[in-house]
C-alpha cells in the first residue's frame, strides 16, 4: 500500500506556514511507527485519563484544548472532578496548560461561565488555562485534545484526540444510560441523555505532532479576543490573557507500533488578520476526506453528529456515482439536540438536503440509522468516525458539515495500518491496499455494539461482518426487526440490536423558507475565502 495514495502529501495540506510541514527532516507529511487505540465511550476515556494524570510527576507536561470544560465533571466517581484532578497535578509540580474556547454567552446555551470557572480552578493550583476567542464571528474552538509528556519517562508519553469534551453528558458507557451529570437537551433524550462518542489514544512520534498543534495556538501573539466588550470583561474579572512560556518541546517519542498517523485540522480564513500558523486558514480535514474518498470502492462507514450540507456531502455523492458497488452507512442522532420551534427546523434542514443528495447518488446503497438504548430512549451520537474500505480511518472533533470543514477550529487524525488483516476479504477495495487491522477492528467494534453482537453469537460474527455487503445487510435487518417490533406495539421479546432506520421529520414550506437562511448563517456557516466558496473548493 502506498500511503501517498491515501494521505495528503507535503504541500497538499494547503498551509505552508504550519510547523507540521517542517517537523521531519525527510519532509514526511505524516508520522510512522505509532500505536493508535480507539476509546469507545466517555467512561472508557475518562477512566484511562484519570489514571494517566494521577501518574504524572513534577516536571511533567500536561497540555489540553477543549470546546467546553465543566470543573465538577467526574472522571470516575466522587473525588475525581476534572478541575480537582488537573489542580492536583499542578500542585504536584506538573506543568498544566490549557486552552478553552471562551464561548458565547450562557444565555445562548453555551458555556462561558463553566469554561471560566475551570480556568480559575486550574490557575488557583498553579496551572494556566486561557479562554481563547481567536475565531471567526460566530465560530468556536472545537478541538478536543490532551497531551501528556513525562520528563525522563518518554515511554509513557501519550496524546488523546477525538470528540469527547471534559464536560457534562460525556461520561456514558456501552449501556447508554447517560451521564449522571447531565445538561438539558431535546425532550426525547430524557433527563440523562444517552451519549455515544469516541476518542483516540496515541503513542509514538505522533504525540509530538499533537503537541506542536497546541504550541502553535499557545504561542500565537495576537490578543485572545478582538471584542472591546470581551476585553473589558477580561479586565473586570482579572483574567489571565497572556500565555506564559512553555518549556522547550522535547524529542518525539520513539516508534512503538505499525500505525501511520496524519494530523488533520480546520482553521478558518479569519477576517482582517489570520493565524500566524495558518494565515489563510487550513482545511486539511476536508482535503483528507476528498483524497481518501477517491479510493472508496466497497463501504464507507460513518458515525457523525450532524451530516449536513450538500456542499460537503458532494464528495461522498461523487464517490457513490463513480462506483456502483460502493455502499454508504451512516449512524447519526435520531433527533437533534435542540427541539425549539426555531432551532429544530434550523438543525433539520441541512440534514434533509444532504441526505436527499446522497440518496440521489446512491439509491438503496445509502443507509442511515439512529440508535436507541434497550429502554427505547434515543442515543445521541456525538462520535466523529469514518472508515473507508477497512483501510483509511479517521477519528477527531470534526463533523461532516461546512462549520467543521471550514469555519471552526478542528483536530482529527487519519490512520493507516501496516499490519494487514488476514480475514477475508483481504482487499475489499480491490486496489491492492489490503484491509488494515486498525480500520477493520474499529468498524467491527462499533458495529458489534450497535448490533448487540459483542459476544460473537448469532449470525453476525466478526468473520461475517468483515464482508462489506454482509455488514450492510446486517444493519438493515437489525433495524428492520426493531422498527417492526415498535410498530407492532412492542409485543414479545425485544429483538437484539440498537439500530433504528433514520426517518427525517417533515418540514412545512414556511419552515423550510425560514430555516434555510438561518441554517446557513448561524448553524452551518462557511469559513472559506470567497473564491473557494464560488468554486466549492477546500
Amino acid at each position: 500500500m502506498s500511503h501517498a495514495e491515501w494521505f495528503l502529501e507535503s504541500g497538499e495540506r494547503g498551509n505552508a506556514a504550519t510547523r507540521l510541514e517542517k517537523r521531519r527532516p525527510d519532509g514526511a507529511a505524516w508520522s510512522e511507527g505509532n500505536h493508535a487505540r480507539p476509546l469507545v465511550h466517555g467512561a472508557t476515556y475518562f477512566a484511562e485519563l484519570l489514571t494517566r494524570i494521577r501518574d504524572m510527576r513534577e516536571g511533567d507536561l500536561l497540555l489540553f484544548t477543549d470546546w467546553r470544560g465543566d470543573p465538577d465533571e467526574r472522571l470516575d466517581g466522587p473525588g475525581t472532578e476534572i478541575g480537582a484532578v488537573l489542580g492536583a497535578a499542578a500542585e504536584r509540580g506538573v506543568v498544566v496548560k490549557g486552552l478553552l474556547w471562551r464561548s458565547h454567552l450562557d444565555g445562548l446555551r453555551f458555556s462561558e461561565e463553566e469554561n471560566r470557572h475551570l480556568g480559575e480552578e486550574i490557575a488557583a493550583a498553579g496551572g494556566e488555562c486561557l479562554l481563547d476567542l481567536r475565531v471567526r464571528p460566530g465560530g468556536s474552538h472545537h478541538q478536543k485534545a490532551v497531551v501528556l509528556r513525562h520528563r525522563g519517562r518518554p515511554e509513557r508519553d501519550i496524546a488523546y484526540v477525538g470528540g469527547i469534551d471534559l464536560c457534562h453528558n460525556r461520561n456514558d458507557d456501552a449501556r447508554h444510560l447517560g451521564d449522571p451529570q447531565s445538561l438539558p437537551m431535546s425532550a426525547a433524550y430524557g433527563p440523562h441523555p444517552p451519549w455515544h462518542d469516541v476518542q483516540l489514544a496515541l503513542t509514538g512520534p505522533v504525540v509530538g505532532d499533537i503537541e506542536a498543534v497546541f504550541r502553535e495556538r499557545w504561542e500565537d501573539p495576537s490578543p485572545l479576543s478582538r471584542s472591546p466588550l470581551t476585553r473589558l470583561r477580561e479586565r473586570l474579572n482579572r483574567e489571565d490573557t497572556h500565555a506564559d512560556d512553555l518549556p522547550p518541546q522535547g524529542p518525539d517519542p520513539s516508534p512503538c507500533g505499525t500505525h501511520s498517523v496524519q494530523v488533520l485540522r480546520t482553521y478558518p480564513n479569519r477576517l482582517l488578520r489570520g493565524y500566524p500558523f495558518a494565515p489563510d486558514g487550513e482545511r486539511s480535514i476536508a482535503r483528507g476526506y476528498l483524497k481518501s474518498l477517491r479510493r472508496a470502492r466497497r463501504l464507507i462507514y460513518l458515525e457523525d453528529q450532524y451530516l449536513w450540507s450538500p456542499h460537503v456531502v458532494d464528495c461522498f455523492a461523487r464517490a457513490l456515482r463513480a462506483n456502483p458497488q460502493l455502499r454508504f452507512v451512516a449512524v447519526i442522532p435520531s433527533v437533534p439536540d435542540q427541539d425549539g420551534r426555531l432551532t429544530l427546523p434550523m438543525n433539520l434542514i441541512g440534514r434533509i438536503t444532504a441526505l436527499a443528495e446522497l440518496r440521489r447518488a446512491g439509491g438503496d446503497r445509502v443507509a442511515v440509522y439512529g440508535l436507541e438504548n434497550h429502554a427505547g430512549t434515543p442515543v445521541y451520537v456525538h462520535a466523529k468516525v469514518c472508515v473507508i474500505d477497512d483501510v483509511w480511518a479517521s477519528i477527531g472533533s470534526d463533523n461532516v458539515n461546512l462549520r467543521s470543514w471550514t469555519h471552526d477550529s478542528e483536530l482529527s487524525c487519519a490512520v493507516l495500518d501496516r499490519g494487514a488483516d488476514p480475514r477475508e476479504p483481504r482487499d475489499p477495495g480491490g486496489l491492492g491496499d489490503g484491509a488494515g487491522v486498525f480500520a477493520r477492528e474499529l468498524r467491527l467494534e462499533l458495529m458489534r455494539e450497535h448490533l448487540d453482537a459483542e459476544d460473537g453469537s448469532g449470525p453476525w460474527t466478526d468473520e461475517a461482518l468483515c464482508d462489506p455487503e454482509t455488514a450492510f445487510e446486517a444493519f438493515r435487518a437489525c433495524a428492520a426487526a426493531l422498527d417492526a417490533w415498535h410498530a407492532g406495539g412492542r409485543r414479545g421479546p425485544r429483538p437484539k440490536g440498537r439500530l433504528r432506520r433514520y426517518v427525517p421529520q417533515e418540514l412545512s414550506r414556511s419552515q423550510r423558507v425560514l430555516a434555510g437562511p438561518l441554517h446557513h448563517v448561524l448553524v452551518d456557516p462557511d469559513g472559506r475565502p470567497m473564491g473557494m466558496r464560488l468554486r466549492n473548493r477546500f
Side-chain angles (χ1 to χ4, degrees):
M1 173 177 56
S2 170
H3 284 22
E5 298 285 350
W6 290 91
F7 281 160
L8 299 177
E9 294 188 86
S10 182
E12 290 184 322
R13 181 181 294 273
N15 176 21
T18 175
R19 64 185 69 175
L20 291 179
E21 291 284 277
K22 311 175 184 72
R23 296 198 69 244
R24 293 183 173 81
D26 61 358
W30 58 84
S31 61
E32 304 267 6
N34 304 291
H35 184 65
R37 288 181 296 116
L39 304 178
V40 182
H41 310 306
T44 305
Y45 169 47
F46 282 0
E48 176 170 322
L49 183 63
L50 174 65
T51 299
R52 292 280 190 165
I53 294 176
R54 283 179 168 173
D55 179 61
M56 301 187 81
R57 303 172 183 171
E58 182 178 358
D60 292 347
L61 180 64
L62 188 161
L63 311 173
F64 73 96
T65 66
D66 216 333
W67 177 81
R68 177 182 177 122
D70 288 311
D72 63 337
E73 173 67 8
R74 297 185 184 116
L75 297 177
D76 195 15
T80 66
E81 292 77 12
I82 185 61
V85 170
L86 293 173
E91 289 172 349
R92 292 195 305 273
V94 177
V95 180
V96 177
K97 305 289 184 182
L99 285 168
L100 288 170
W101 176 45
R102 170 166 282 281
S103 175
H104 307 304
L105 298 175
D106 282 335
L108 299 175
R109 295 185 67 179
F110 286 100
S111 51
E112 180 189 38
E113 287 300 311
E114 290 79 4
N115 289 356
R116 183 162 64 85
H117 291 329
L118 178 57
E120 290 170 348
E121 196 163 331
I122 292 170
E128 187 177 15
C129 184
L130 305 181
L131 300 182
D132 190 353
L133 195 59
R134 292 173 290 200
V135 296
R136 280 178 71 97
S140 77
H141 281 302
H142 200 240
Q143 298 174 342
K144 312 161 200 302
V146 178
V147 178
L148 309 179
R149 302 297 299 265
H150 302 76
R151 187 173 64 178
R153 299 182 296 161
E155 72 282 356
R156 299 198 62 78
D157 290 352
I158 191 167
Y160 299 96
V161 172
I164 304 179
D165 302 279
L166 301 174
C167 70
H168 296 164
N169 276 9
R170 274 51 171 184
N171 199 345
D172 200 359
D173 57 26
R175 298 171 298 167
H176 289 310
L177 302 178
D179 186 340
Q181 296 173 277
S182 296
L183 296 167
M185 291 174 55
S186 294
Y189 292 105
H192 300 290
W195 196 274
H196 175 68
D197 222 331
V198 182
Q199 198 82 350
L200 185 64
L202 297 160
T203 51
V206 69
V207 173
D209 290 345
I210 306 302
E211 181 178 346
V213 171
F214 179 91
R215 286 175 177 268
E216 284 187 332
R217 282 183 56 192
W218 186 264
E219 294 165 4
D220 183 349
S222 18
L224 294 174
S225 173
R226 295 173 179 168
S227 163
L229 181 60
T230 298
R231 297 178 81 167
L232 176 62
R233 290 208 309 271
E234 289 172 344
R235 290 189 179 186
L236 293 175
N237 294 327
R238 298 182 178 180
E239 295 178 22
D240 181 5
T241 59
H242 300 285
D244 292 346
D245 290 341
L246 291 169
Q249 181 163 351
D252 289 349
S254 299
C256 60
T258 62
H259 300 152
S260 303
V261 182
Q262 182 161 61
V263 176
L264 303 172
R265 308 181 299 182
T266 299
Y267 287 112
N269 176 46
R270 286 186 78 200
L271 307 177
L272 300 180
R273 182 182 178 186
Y275 303 100
F277 51 85
D280 299 314
E282 180 178 319
R283 291 157 292 278
S284 56
I285 288 174
R287 292 179 176 211
Y289 267 99
L290 289 169
K291 186 167 186 175
S292 59
L293 284 168
R294 288 199 289 268
R295 293 184 71 79
R297 295 296 183 272
R298 297 284 296 284
L299 180 64
I300 300 168
Y301 179 79
L302 181 74
E303 295 192 355
D304 197 77
Q305 183 183 2
Y306 294 124
L307 189 56
W308 286 342
S309 177
H311 293 293
V312 170
V313 302
D314 174 68
C315 55
F316 293 90
R318 280 189 276 118
L320 287 162
R321 290 190 188 98
N323 300 284
Q325 287 190 308
L326 180 62
R327 288 165 171 79
F328 176 89
V329 173
V331 179
I332 62 176
S334 299
V335 182
D337 58 339
Q338 299 180 49
D339 56 4
R341 291 182 61 187
L342 185 59
T343 56
L344 179 62
M346 283 168 53
N347 279 271
L348 285 174
I349 188 68
R351 179 176 292 164
I352 290 170
T353 54
L355 294 184
E357 173 69 16
L358 288 170
R359 288 181 169 130
R360 280 194 297 270
D364 59 6
R365 293 179 289 126
V366 173
V368 183
Y369 302 97
L371 299 175
E372 69 175 29
N373 63 17
H374 291 157
T377 305
V379 175
Y380 191 70
V381 177
H382 193 258
K384 300 95 168 56
V385 176
C386 186
V387 180
I388 299 176
D389 286 344
D390 290 349
V391 178
W392 183 92
S394 71
I395 297 174
S397 68
D398 55 298
N399 296 296
V400 178
N401 61 9
L402 272 176
R403 178 178 283 277
S404 279
W405 282 23
T406 71
H407 193 273
D408 292 356
S409 75
E410 303 283 4
L411 179 61
S412 179
C413 288
V415 181
L416 296 174
D417 193 349
R418 292 195 180 276
D421 191 289
R423 293 168 291 187
E424 296 292 342
R426 296 189 180 189
D427 185 23
L431 299 177
D433 298 312
V437 174
F438 177 85
R440 177 165 279 174
E441 280 299 327
L442 171 61
R443 177 175 68 82
L444 292 180
E445 180 177 2
L446 295 168
M447 283 190 156
R448 282 193 298 263
E449 177 182 315
H450 304 332
L451 293 165
D452 278 340
E454 295 97 327
D455 59 2
S457 63
W460 312 125
T461 63
D462 281 3
E463 288 69 22
L465 293 174
C466 284
D467 179 73
E469 287 76 21
T470 303
F472 188 88
E473 173 60 23
F475 265 41
R476 188 205 63 77
C478 177
L482 196 51
D483 288 344
W485 181 74
H486 278 283
R490 300 169 59 136
R491 291 190 294 270
R494 182 185 183 277
K496 291 183 69 173
R498 312 174 187 201
L499 293 158
R500 302 292 304 278
R501 187 171 67 91
Y502 178 76
V503 180
Q505 294 176 241
E506 292 292 330
L507 296 179
S508 67
R509 179 177 175 81
S510 60
Q511 286 177 313
R512 286 174 176 266
V513 169
L514 179 61
L518 293 174
H519 173 84
H520 293 305
V521 173
L522 300 176
V523 178
D524 197 27
D526 195 331
R528 293 175 291 180
M530 185 56 67
M532 284 189 169
R533 295 190 201 186
L534 295 175
R535 299 190 304 273
N536 198 31
R537 300 282 182 85
F538 294 93

